[in-house]
Amino acid sequence: MKSEAPNKGYNKIMKELPTVNEPGSVYFYLSKNNVNNTYIELMDELVTLNDTVISNWLNITPRTLRNYRSKEANLKDNTKEHIISILSLFKHGIAVFGTTAVFEQWLAAPNYFLDEKAPMDFMDTISGISLIDNRLTAMEYGENV
């Protein structure tokens, strides 16, 4: 299993990530930071799910994801935004659930509040990630899982 705390100096990136539900902060973060394959590497370190799941979230093929990892391709702006949103969501989810493993279990389980769909089914859009982030915030304030 991958570690809970990212390695290789990723802690600085994680600390500076904007929250999902602050679009202005996300926009300015993207304009001030060079979101590149380092962020893909961070996502690999943090997210234990397979490439097919992650590439589906990013609306790219697994091959494109591999190209992004190997520095062969420049990230598109919408992909950069999506990566930042996913990383921010994981940061929030780990804060709520305590570990990546428990958060990913919650992401994969059907959820009553999401019409019995798994939260991970919503992660292919920014608005879906925002919806999941809202659920995390609701749980922080005492709502049911």
Side-chain angles (χ1 to χ4, degrees), residues 106 111 113-114 130-140 143-145:
W106 179 80
N111 190 297
F113 293 101
L114 301 172
S130 181
L131 173 68
I132 301 310
D133 192 66
N134 285 340
R135 290 297 322 134
L136 293 173
T137 300
M139 285 185 276
E140 287 179 304
E143 279 195 25
N144 293 328
V145 176

Side-chain angles (χ1 to χ4, degrees), residues 98-119:
T99 67
T100 300
V102 176
F103 177 53
E104 286 181 349
Q105 287 174 351
W106 179 80
L107 280 176
N111 190 297
Y112 172 80
F113 293 101
L114 301 172
D115 200 24
E116 295 302 326
K117 293 181 182 175

Side-chain angles (χ1 to χ4, degrees), residues 17 24 40 44 53 70 89 98 118 120 144:
L17 285 172
I40 299 282
D44 286 343
V53 172
S70 67
L89 181 72
M120 69 187 317
N144 293 328

